[in-house]
Amino acid sequence: MDSRITQVSVGVGDCSHGERRFRWEVRDFGYDGARRRNAGPSLSRSLVAFLIFCLLLVIVTGGVVWYVGPTLAGIVVDEAKRERPYYLLQLLPARAAEPGAAASYRSRFAELAAKDGGRVLWLGGKVEVMEGSVLLDIAGLQLVEFPTGADLVQMFTGRAFRDLENDVGAALPRHLGTSVAPRELAPDAATVAVLYRAETEDGNPPLGKPGERGWLALLPSYHGEVRWDAPVSSIAGRSPWNRVLLVQFPDRAAAEGWLADPITATERAIAGKAVDEMVVLSVQPSQAAPRWNSRTVRNSSNSPRLGYVDASISPIGR
């Protein structure tokens, strides 16, 4: 614009020529400005390419999450979960926990897990739903440890596991996972398994503390011990729970006595204000439970944890 004004000033001697030139320059500037205004904001090629890349990245990421599920995808991107031991709690429906089906599903699952370093840490026997929907189909529990979260992802995304799930049909087991290790689980103890959903605890466990307060206050009086209290995520399928609690007792009578105690029942009603979708399962010892020994095995924390020997799986009740 400045150069055009200078040209007009120089041609001031030729008034008509200067006026024509000035008017032509104005017309040219006005046309160009109108064209720019009508065109709207423009994007550079590099910015367009970047936006396309971001769009493709979102599409690919969404496809991966849809295929493997949000929990497995989260393990892949989280180094702490990917490289540390990972624990899988399986809730087996009646069809997969029957004597005939159990041998098939459990043995096949154990074989697949073993190929990726997985092994059974604890196997529950007969399950009775003490609290929860009458439609809840849970007839067996088992806990499997993988050397790393990456090993679990590798197994769950393999064709052999998909074939196993397809063979089970509509009665699919529920799989809940966490990187929080359990304490030693006694194979011959009566177990109360609790599944529930709770918001952030702010340092105050919603079910209380053994010997102190809440639903768990009377545990010591019945010789009960918390063996596992951990956040969990659904590995395959959808489950409403985000926490698991395993409490073990010396026998079934002690477990039932604690659950039936009036103080425990009152505290359970109070805890209902802080938890949702709570399910209480009474799990009897399994005759095919793995045996624990005192040698230290894979440990995801600074404290030693007991391991087990004999990862063979047999039908419940055999």
Side-chain angles (χ1 to χ4, degrees):
M1 181 66 184
D2 292 339
S3 61
R4 295 175 180 177
I5 295 174
T6 302
Q7 291 175 1
V8 171
S9 301
V10 171
V12 72
D14 185 355
C15 184
S16 60
H17 177 71
E19 289 175 354
R20 286 196 304 272
R21 185 172 181 80
F22 179 75
R23 284 194 296 269
W24 180 83
E25 290 288 349
V26 170
R27 287 196 301 271
D28 179 71
F29 177 78
Y31 169 77
D32 184 66
R35 182 175 59 187
R36 290 177 182 272
R37 287 193 300 270
N38 293 334
S42 60
L43 299 176
S44 65
R45 291 184 178 180
S46 59
L47 180 57
V48 171
F50 175 74
L51 293 176
I52 293 176
F53 169 77
C54 291
L55 179 60
L56 292 176
L57 183 62
V58 170
I59 294 175
V60 171
T61 302
V64 171
V65 172
W66 173 82
Y67 181 73
V68 305
T71 301
L72 293 182
I75 294 174
V76 172
V77 300
D78 188 331
E79 183 178 359
K81 295 179 180 179
R82 187 176 66 248
E83 302 300 332
R84 295 175 57 186
Y86 205 83
Y87 303 89
L88 178 72
L89 179 64
Q90 293 182 297
L91 312 178
L92 306 175
R95 180 175 177 181
E98 293 171 354
S104 175
Y105 182 87
R106 283 179 169 157
S107 61
R108 288 176 62 185
F109 185 91
E111 291 173 1
L112 292 179
K115 293 180 180 179
D116 292 301
R119 51 186 184 174
V120 177
L121 291 183
W122 173 76
L123 179 64
K126 181 181 178 181
V127 175
E128 182 180 356
V129 180
M130 307 297 292
E131 179 180 340
S133 172
V134 294
L135 300 178
L136 189 62
D137 186 10
I138 300 178
L141 277 77
Q142 66 181 14
L143 177 63
V144 183
E145 178 195 43
F146 286 84
T148 66
D151 294 313
L152 177 137
V153 173
Q154 180 169 309
M155 175 188 167
F156 269 74
T157 54
R159 181 181 181 85
F161 176 75
R162 293 197 299 271
D163 291 341
L164 174 59
E165 294 284 281
N166 290 335
D167 290 345
V168 176
L172 291 175
R174 301 171 189 250
H175 306 279
L176 304 175
T178 181
S179 57
V180 177
R183 295 172 58 196
E184 177 188 356
L185 288 164
D188 56 351
T191 303
V192 173
V194 185
L195 305 166
Y196 63 96
R197 185 177 73 240
E199 301 299 329
T200 55
E201 297 179 356
D202 298 327
N204 296 316
L207 297 183
K209 294 183 179 180
E212 295 184 17
R213 60 177 181 79
W215 192 54
L216 304 178
L218 293 184
L219 274 184
S221 300
Y222 292 88
H223 306 288
E225 295 185 21
V226 174
R227 297 295 186 179
W228 198 25
D229 184 7
V232 291
S233 300
S234 225
I235 300 294
R238 294 183 178 181
S239 297
W241 314 294
N242 63 5
R243 292 202 67 88
V244 61
L245 178 73
L246 292 187
V247 182
Q248 291 198 314
F249 297 83
D251 51 44
R252 180 175 181 177
E256 292 180 348
W258 172 69
L259 288 172
D261 192 290
I263 295 179
T264 301
T266 300
E267 292 293 343
R268 168 63 190 97
I270 296 174
K273 300 177 181 179
V275 301
D276 295 311
E277 305 291 342
M278 187 163 165
V279 171
V280 180
L281 307 173
S282 176
V283 187
Q284 299 309 307
S286 171
Q287 297 182 18
R291 298 189 304 273
W292 294 71
N293 73 340
S294 58
R295 63 184 175 84
T296 303
V297 293
R298 291 192 292 262
N299 181 18
S300 62
S301 63
N302 294 327
S303 60
R305 186 174 57 77
L306 298 181
Y308 73 95
V309 292
D310 184 16
S312 62
I313 304 299
S314 302
I316 292 177
R318 194 175 86 175

